Amino acid sequence: MSSLKCASGRKRRRLEFPSKDEQTQVEYEDVKLVVIKTKKSIKALEKILKDFTNYKQNFQDIEHHLKRNTHARMHELNTILSVTTQEEDTITDLKRRLEKSEEENERIDGEIEKSNDLLRKSEERCKNITQEKTKLYEDNEKTLKQLQQKESEIEELKSESEEARRIQETKAIEVESRQKAINTLEKQVAGLQGENENTIKSLQHEAYVLEQKLKKEKEDAISNVNKLKNEKQLAIDHYKQQVQSRDNEIQSFKSELERKENTLQTVVKQRDEERTLKEDERKQKDEALTRLSAIAGDRLRNNNPGITDLSDPNRPMKIAEKFTEMYDNDWTDSMEALEELDLGEEDCVKILLHFLTDSYEECGRLVAELDSHILKAVIISGCEQDTNESGDNKPQDPNIPAELLKPMKDLRRKLTENNVEKLQKKLPDYLMKTRNLSEEHISACSKFVEDCIKYAWMMQIQDPPVYIEWDFPSDTKIDTNILRSYTKAGDQVDFIVWPVLYLHKDGPVLNKGVVQPKSANK
């Protein structure tokens, strides 16, 4: 045990790492390889020790089981011998022999304890303990089988307790068998002791070999490090010479570069000045072209319905679609709401038509008034009641360029949402007063009234305004190109239900109007 400790101590001293001063001279990768190999060897030894500890535990369990069975058999023999009073001498002799056997067992226990001491001493240095454990395990199984055989013999003794003479012979045979078993155990313990000594010697030899191997590897590593250190110093000296040569070349290059940079800066400065002049000329040309393009575009789009801004969500075609949706949805709901007020069909139709036409006319007047205020703000008008060529009472001065009028009209369209919100609050009172209606009529079809005001304003602010026509006198012939029948069939007008929608006055039809014809028998 002490020799193993010394070997282990020498091994630990061999694995000590160099000092900080030596570490600066050792390459990291070589030292890392040595450490990894050492760790692997230590892990293998730890695994072997763990297996040997398990073997020791199994052996102790077998020893404990043997002691327990021996005491149990002694107790059974004492019980059997006490039954037969006629065989007291024989029982006394058996007891004496049992006492000797017990003393022999104590001696065996002592030897087993010594064997355990040897096992504990060899725990830290076992390497091939796995194979030994298997062999010992097989021997222990044989011993257990022998013990089981002895137990069966004891059971036979119990069954023959009535025959006193045979008890003596059976006990003699059993004692002789036990003596043979004890002798066998002694041989096994001696064998184990010899095997443990061989194992310890083998481990000591392997530890010595490992120590020599590690020593050689360490010397090789130090030798390699010194070699690399010399090569590194030679390389450093070589690189220093190259760096000095490069520094001289760089210095000459810097001088040449500074000279060329001065020349280049002069050339770049001249080129930048020329580029700046050309850029200014190009910007002036682009600005002039932009102004001319904007003026031409405004003149082309001003009061020209043939050119439409497709990005405008409130362009005439979109208004026509919403105008149709209003008739299909809001107009129908409003008809039902007015009929609940006990009004006839024709009266309901006329009220809804008046809401639309009155809103359209009032929005037209407000748009003309707004345009008039804008023109008055920028020009001096010769007559406050000037009218344009179309006769829609919208002032238009021929001296105002189209490029100025178009932005004003575009601004008016951009303010649509704000103006519509104000008109929807203001015009319902105007509609009630104009047709002598009550607030109940407005409330019954409030959604329809709001839409009439909204789309009437959008129509009037178009350039030119979207036009609606509803003046179709009674008994006039129905033009199917612009009108369609309501609920009856006929070719003469009875009353108008929904106006015709034009792109502009005298322009193409966007939506047909709806008219109620006179029936043939009317």
Side-chain angles (χ1 to χ4, degrees), residues 30 34 128 182 239 308 374 410 421 478 481 503:
D30 296 335
V34 175
N128 299 322
I182 290 170
Y239 290 142
T308 304
I374 293 174
D410 292 341
E421 184 178 354
I478 297 176
N481 292 324
L503 181 60

Side-chain angles (χ1 to χ4, degrees), residues 30-92:
D30 296 335
V31 176
K32 184 177 178 181
L33 291 175
V34 175
V35 172
I36 290 174
K37 291 180 180 179
T38 305
K39 286 184 178 180
K40 288 182 179 178
S41 301
I42 292 173
K43 287 183 178 179
L45 289 174
E46 289 178 350
K47 184 177 179 182
I48 293 170
L49 290 176
K50 183 177 179 181
D51 294 338
F52 189 84
T53 302
N54 294 333
Y55 159 74
K56 175 187 173 184
Q57 183 64 35
N58 293 334
F59 190 86
Q60 289 177 350
D61 292 340
I62 293 171
E63 178 188 357
H64 179 70
H65 181 70
L66 179 62
K67 287 181 179 180
R68 186 175 58 195
N69 290 338
T70 302
H71 289 297
R73 286 196 295 273
M74 289 176 65
H75 178 71
E76 291 175 357
L77 290 174
N78 289 330
T79 303
I80 294 171
L81 292 174
S82 64
V83 176
T84 58
T85 56
Q86 297 177 359
E87 301 292 338
E88 291 180 356
D89 295 337
T90 304
I91 293 171
T92 304

Side-chain angles (χ1 to χ4, degrees), residues 177-393:
S177 299
R178 282 190 70 256
Q179 186 63 37
K180 290 180 180 180
I182 290 170
N183 294 332
T184 302
L185 289 174
E186 289 177 354
K187 293 179 180 180
Q188 291 177 353
V189 170
L192 289 174
Q193 183 175 2
E195 291 174 355
N196 289 333
E197 290 177 355
N198 293 332
T199 302
I200 292 171
K201 291 179 180 179
S202 176
L203 289 174
Q204 289 176 348
H205 177 69
E206 291 179 358
Y208 176 76
V209 172
L210 180 62
E211 181 180 357
Q212 295 298 323
K213 184 177 179 181
L214 292 175
K215 180 180 179 181
K216 184 178 179 181
E217 289 179 352
K218 181 178 178 182
E219 291 175 353
D220 292 341
I222 294 174
S223 176
N224 291 332
V225 168
N226 294 330
K227 183 177 179 181
L228 291 173
K229 180 181 176 182
N230 295 330
E231 293 177 354
K232 182 179 179 181
Q233 186 63 37
L234 292 175
I236 290 173
D237 295 338
H238 178 67
Y239 290 142
K240 284 182 178 180
Q241 294 177 359
Q242 290 184 346
V243 169
Q244 184 65 32
S245 176
R246 294 291 185 276
D247 288 341
N248 296 332
E249 293 178 0
I250 290 171
Q251 189 64 34
S252 62
F253 288 151
K254 283 184 177 179
S255 301
E256 182 66 19
L257 182 62
E258 288 177 358
R259 185 183 63 79
K260 291 183 178 180
E261 283 180 351
N262 295 331
T263 305
L264 181 61
Q265 287 177 359
T266 304
V267 175
V268 169
K269 185 176 180 181
Q270 294 175 356
R271 188 185 62 182
D272 291 341
E273 292 176 355
E274 293 176 357
R275 183 182 296 174
T276 302
L277 293 175
K278 291 180 180 180
E279 187 70 20
D280 293 340
E281 292 177 358
R282 187 184 62 79
K283 287 182 179 179
Q284 292 175 2
K285 290 179 181 179
D286 290 343
E287 290 175 357
L289 290 173
T290 302
R291 288 195 298 270
L292 290 174
S293 178
I295 292 171
D298 291 338
R299 287 180 179 178
L300 185 61
R301 290 186 292 114
N302 185 43
N303 206 26
N304 184 0
I307 298 178
T308 304
D309 184 5
L310 298 179
S311 64
D312 184 7
N314 298 323
R315 60 186 183 273
M317 294 302 297
K318 292 293 183 181
I319 293 174
E321 294 175 3
K322 296 174 183 177
F323 195 67
T324 301
E325 292 176 2
M326 183 173 66
Y327 174 70
D328 293 338
N329 300 323
D330 296 342
W331 186 89
T332 303
D333 296 339
S334 299
M335 278 289 293
E336 294 175 357
L338 290 176
E339 287 175 352
E340 292 178 358
L341 299 179
D342 297 330
L343 296 174
E345 182 183 33
E346 185 174 353
D347 292 336
C348 294
V349 169
K350 288 182 178 180
I351 289 174
L352 295 177
L353 181 62
H354 289 319
F355 284 156
L356 177 59
T357 56
D358 292 347
S359 297
Y360 180 79
E361 289 179 340
E362 181 63 15
C363 287
R365 187 189 66 81
L366 292 174
V367 170
E369 183 179 346
L370 179 61
D371 289 345
S372 176
H373 288 312
I374 293 174
L375 292 175
K376 286 180 180 180
V378 296
I379 65 170
I380 299 174
S381 179
C383 178
E384 293 183 357
Q385 298 299 326
D386 287 345
T387 59
N388 54 23
E389 295 177 357
S390 62
D392 55 6
N393 293 326

